[in-house]
Structures are given as structure tokens and as C-alpha cells.
Amino acid sequence: MNNDYRSPSFKRWLDKLQQESWQLELIISGFAIYALILAYEPLELLYETAKASQIEAWRFIWSVVQVMWGILIFNLVLHVILRGLWIGAVGLRYVSGDIDYKALNYSEKFTTYLKKNVGSFDKYIGQLEKYCSVLFAISFLLIFYMLASYIIMSLLVAVIYLIATNFDLQNNVTMIVILISVLLISCLLMLIIFIDFIGQGILKKNKYVAKIYFPIYWLFSYLTLSFLYRPLVYNFLDNKFGKRLVFFLIPIYAVISILGGINFKQSNYLKNNQESWENYSNTNNYEDLLIDRNDFIEIASIPSKVIKNSHLKIFILFKKQMEDQIFKTNSSIKPEKDIRGFNLGFKENYDEGVNESNGIFKNHKNELKYLHTFERLYQINIDTTMFSSEFVISTDKHKRLGFETYLNIRDLKEGKHILRILAPPADSTQVENDTLVTIPFWHFKD
């Protein structure tokens, strides 16, 4: 086959291929739907893991991927349904031919109405063919549109984050002005691009406006990766049917999103997923109830609602705020350089010089100070009794860092008890500690 797109043989091959493309469309759609559905649960798990671990960057990325996955599944399922309807219509035409309005023997009023609004059966088959062929391509175009939007928002957030974290905005008026200017200019440029998008290239039509708009268009074409899908865009824009379908699908996605947020309330007072307190036991606080892969410990956990042993295991999930509070309380273990966050995966160079007096590595000694500071800051109460505890660094079933300890509850009376984990007050003027989490449980001796 000649691969020169300008040759007549290549054009004839494309004409022939587009007539038979429905077979490939069905095969690809079938495999794609199967693969996308199988991959959706792992993607949801990755999102929930990032959310539970408070890694906002990964949470944002996986949320974007989930939305794009949902669009692909919806469009491909709709494509298979319409293509199946098209195949059924073609088969029916082979048996019955076109619609014979005379054979229906309707009144003249209904016959005239049906001929005008229903038309011939061949027209119906042709319309289905158009929807099927365009929908398959438009699925990927919408994915690229959404990806472009998220890229622009991510770049804007990244610029704001870099300015906010590297400069003291409270005492630097110049940087505040720069930050506001960056925001205003970015929003203005995005508004111009959006107007051109909604207006279907309206800013490209006037030669004077086009000269001013071209640098903006050129910049955003690279920022949004539009050079990858630009031929698809302009092929749709020169076709009224394709444009109508694009603007018809977008409201459908919005409606589906709204419907997905609808929930049913059974009671005015009782809720099935609220924060744990004295009279409500949240399943995320009990390890034996965390059955599914996307069940996570939110703050802390104990083994079960009913404790029959003479000891109670407590796991407290690590949060960034905990380390900030520890460094604030004990500045001697605060490192000169904060290495938290993303890195390239290279092994960190720790100063592991041995302390001659006790033979403990220096970084291990700091870990002991770290744990001792944590034990001073975070207290454990059962009912009105405070329990002393020695924590060790541990992980949960999802390999998330945390602090683990075991309490001696041999002398605890049988029945219901309230476990409270107290944290340092968030407000410096506050006297009493905050309650980090409240977990009800029952203790019965074997």
C-alpha cells in the first residue's frame, strides 16, 4: 500500500476502510470497555490511598484520571449500544425494506406528520451511522479537552505554590503584587482561549484580532498539548453534525455528575458515615471491619469493637501536622533541610555517626527523641483515666506510617468504654488539649 496521503490509491484505501470501520469500532470498543472497567477499581484505590495519605498532588492526578476513565466508559458503552441498534436496523431493512406508509393505512394528517418527522428508514440508518462514527472519535477529543483544562489549572496552582512557599508574602508587598498580576493575567488569557473555544474559532476570523490572538493561541497550543489532537478539532469544527454532538454531550456529563451526587437520607438525626464520637462507632476505627481494599484508617484504630484480651492495641496514623508540632515542641531534632515531599527516589545520605557512649546511631537517637516528644504531646484516655504508653513506629495494612502501642486493660471493668486520643491545642491561647479522635468499644473478659 502506498503511504503517501496525496496519492489516489491512499485515498481509495481510506474510503474503503471507512466503510468497513464499524467492525473495528465494535472490536476495539468491546475490549476497551472490558479493560477500562477492570482498571477502574485499581484507579479508585489509588485515589483513596492518596486521599487517605493526604498526598494532594497524587489525589488530584488520580481524580483527573478517574473522570477521564468515566467519560471513556460512558461514551464507548453508548457507542456499542448505538452500533448494535444500527446493526439491528440494517438487518430489519434486509427483511422489510423501507417504511411503507401506505400499508399503515393511517389518516392523512398522521401520514403527512410521520413522513415529515420520521422520514425514510434509510435516513434513520444513515443518522445512526453518523452518531456511531463521530462518537467513537469524539470520546478521545473530549478526553484531550479535559486534560488540557487540568494542565492549565495545574500550572497556575504550581506557580502560586512556588511563589507562596519561597517568599514571605506577609512582609513582601512586591511579591504580593507579582502574585496578583500573575493570577489576573492567567485568568484573562484563559478567558480569551475559552471565548475562542465557545465561539468555535471566532477570534481567528478577523485578521486584526487574529494577529493579536495568535501568540496566545501558539502558547496555549503547547501548554495544552493541542498539537496532538488539533486535526481532530478542526475536522469537527468544519462539520455541523460533529459540533452539535460535542455540545450535546457536555451537558449530559454535567447531569450525570449531579445525579451521581444524589444521596438518600433515612433519618433527620442519624447518619451512616459521620465522625466517631461517644454514641457513634465509625467502621474506619476498627481494624477487623476494614475488609475492602479501599477501607482506610482515617485517624486511629483499635482491633475491634469488642476487646476480650487484657491488652488493647492502638494505632495512630501519621499526619504531617504531627511532625510540625513535634518540631515546634522539640527544635533540637528539627533538620536543617526539610526533605518531606516528592523526590527522585535516590537514597538519602543520613549522618549515621556512632555515638561512642551508647553505640546508638545518631539518626536512631533522634528517632527516640522524636517518639518521646510524640508521647508527651499525644495522650490516651479511657473514660476519665489517662494511660501512659510507649509508642513504636509502625505501618498499617496499606503500608502507611503511624505510631503503635499496647495498653494494659486488665483492671478495666466490663462493658462500654470511650477511648480518647488527645492532641496539642491548635490555638496557642487554648489551655486544654484537642480531642484527636473518640472511639467507643466494649471490654469483656474471656
Side-chain angles (χ1 to χ4, degrees):
M1 184 192 68
N2 187 356
N3 290 326
D4 184 5
Y5 69 92
R6 292 167 294 187
S7 68
S9 60
F10 186 80
K11 293 184 182 297
R12 286 195 301 270
W13 176 75
L14 282 179
D15 290 337
K16 182 181 177 182
L17 187 62
Q18 70 185 19
Q19 296 296 327
E20 301 174 355
S21 63
W22 65 270
Q23 301 172 34
L24 290 174
E25 289 175 9
L26 278 178
I27 294 172
I28 293 173
S29 293
F31 280 109
I33 291 169
Y34 179 72
L36 289 170
I37 292 175
L38 285 180
Y40 193 81
E41 186 178 350
L43 284 175
E44 189 176 17
L45 178 61
L46 289 169
Y47 170 78
E48 293 294 338
T49 302
K51 178 183 176 183
S53 302
Q54 294 184 318
I55 307 175
E56 295 303 321
W58 281 116
R59 180 183 177 183
F60 175 76
I61 290 171
W62 294 126
S63 66
V64 172
V65 174
Q66 272 189 303
V67 172
M68 293 192 295
W69 233 250
I71 290 175
L72 272 178
I73 291 174
F74 174 80
N75 282 6
L76 292 177
V77 169
L78 182 60
H79 170 264
V80 170
I81 293 172
L82 290 178
R83 185 57 79 178
L85 182 60
W86 175 82
I87 292 172
V90 171
L92 181 61
R93 184 185 183 279
Y94 173 76
V95 175
S96 182
D98 205 344
I99 301 173
D100 188 356
Y101 290 102
K102 290 183 180 179
L104 294 174
N105 198 24
Y106 290 161
S107 67
E108 184 179 351
K109 183 177 179 63
F110 272 96
T111 302
T112 304
Y113 176 83
L114 292 174
K115 283 183 177 180
K116 180 181 178 182
N117 291 276
V118 176
S120 69
F121 198 61
D122 289 353
K123 178 185 174 183
Y124 173 69
I125 294 174
Q127 289 291 334
L128 284 176
E129 170 64 29
K130 279 186 179 180
Y131 280 112
C132 294
S133 298
V134 173
L135 186 61
F136 196 74
I138 209 172
S139 303
F140 298 97
L141 182 59
L142 290 174
I143 292 298
F144 281 121
Y145 275 150
M146 179 163 289
L147 183 61
S149 301
Y150 280 118
I151 288 173
I152 293 299
M153 287 191 292
S154 299
L155 289 174
L156 183 60
V157 171
V159 170
I160 296 171
Y161 177 78
L162 288 173
I163 295 175
T165 54
N166 289 283
F167 299 95
D168 184 9
L169 296 180
Q170 293 182 350
N171 303 313
N172 196 330
V173 179
T174 305
M175 290 312 302
I176 294 175
V177 173
I178 292 174
L179 180 59
I180 294 173
S181 301
V182 169
L183 285 173
L184 291 176
I185 293 171
S186 301
C187 292
L188 178 62
L189 293 178
M190 285 189 286
L191 179 62
I192 292 171
I193 291 291
F194 182 72
I195 290 172
D196 185 64
F197 170 72
I198 293 296
Q200 300 175 5
I202 190 173
L203 299 180
K204 302 183 185 78
K205 296 177 180 179
N206 185 285
K207 65 178 182 178
Y208 300 107
V209 176
K211 286 183 179 180
I212 302 172
Y213 176 63
F214 181 78
I216 302 172
Y217 169 80
W218 181 86
L219 174 64
F220 275 79
S221 68
Y222 284 95
L223 292 178
T224 61
L225 307 178
S226 67
F227 56 88
L228 296 174
Y229 55 91
R230 192 178 294 145
L232 278 175
V233 174
Y234 292 114
N235 208 321
F236 273 109
L237 289 177
D238 69 0
N239 184 287
K240 291 183 179 180
F241 180 81
K243 288 190 291 187
R244 287 200 303 267
L245 187 58
V246 170
F247 288 104
F248 174 73
L249 283 173
I250 292 175
I252 290 179
Y253 298 145
V255 171
I256 292 174
S257 300
I258 294 171
L259 292 177
I262 295 176
N263 56 70
F264 178 76
K265 291 187 177 181
Q266 294 177 291
S267 169
N268 287 300
Y269 297 98
L270 308 181
K271 299 178 182 178
N272 59 2
N273 189 23
Q274 63 183 29
E275 185 179 346
S276 178
W277 60 296
E278 287 87 344
N279 296 316
Y280 180 79
S281 59
N282 192 309
T283 56
N284 292 324
N285 295 325
Y286 308 98
E287 293 178 2
D288 62 340
L289 298 180
L290 303 176
I291 301 171
D292 296 333
R293 291 195 301 169
N294 57 350
D295 289 336
F296 292 90
I297 299 169
E298 292 184 352
I299 301 174
S301 69
I302 59 176
S304 176
K305 289 183 181 181
V306 178
I307 305 298
K308 296 182 180 180
N309 300 321
S310 58
H311 63 271
L312 175 64
K313 173 191 171 185
I314 299 175
F315 179 84
I316 302 175
L317 189 67
F318 171 82
K319 305 280 181 148
K320 178 180 178 294
Q321 297 85 348
M322 293 177 175
E323 190 160 288
D324 293 338
Q325 187 65 44
I326 289 171
F327 289 158
K328 183 178 179 181
T329 304
N330 189 350
S331 58
S332 65
I333 58 175
K334 184 177 181 180
E336 294 181 3
K337 183 180 180 181
D338 195 335
I339 61 172
R340 290 177 293 184
F342 292 101
N343 59 72
L344 296 176
F346 298 117
K347 186 176 180 181
E348 297 291 341
N349 294 319
Y350 291 101
D351 182 8
E352 294 190 347
V354 178
N355 186 304
E356 294 180 358
S357 62
N358 53 21
I360 299 177
F361 288 114
K362 184 178 179 180
N363 63 311
H364 290 172
K365 189 174 182 180
N366 284 339
E367 286 179 2
L368 291 175
K369 292 180 180 178
Y370 189 104
L371 284 173
H372 292 157
T373 308
F374 176 84
E375 291 166 359
R376 292 204 320 267
L377 293 174
Y378 293 86
Q379 303 172 3
I380 298 175
N381 287 5
I382 297 180
D383 300 328
T384 57
T385 305
M386 186 175 73
F387 282 70
S388 61
S389 56
E390 294 184 0
F391 283 91
V392 295
I393 301 168
S394 183
T395 57
D396 65 357
K397 70 173 186 177
H398 294 287
K399 306 300 180 184
R400 294 184 301 162
L401 279 171
F403 305 92
E404 184 178 307
T405 189
Y406 290 81
L407 303 182
N408 184 354
I409 57 171
R410 184 179 292 107
D411 298 329
L412 205 64
K413 68 177 182 178
E414 295 189 335
K416 179 184 175 182
H417 297 278
I418 304 298
L419 168 70
R420 289 184 180 86
I421 300 176
L422 305 179
D427 188 355
S428 58
T429 61
Q430 187 176 333
V431 178
E432 296 183 356
N433 288 347
D434 292 326
T435 301
L436 186 66
V437 66
T438 301
I439 306 176
F441 70 96
W442 284 260
H443 176 52
F444 297 103
K445 300 176 183 178
D446 287 336

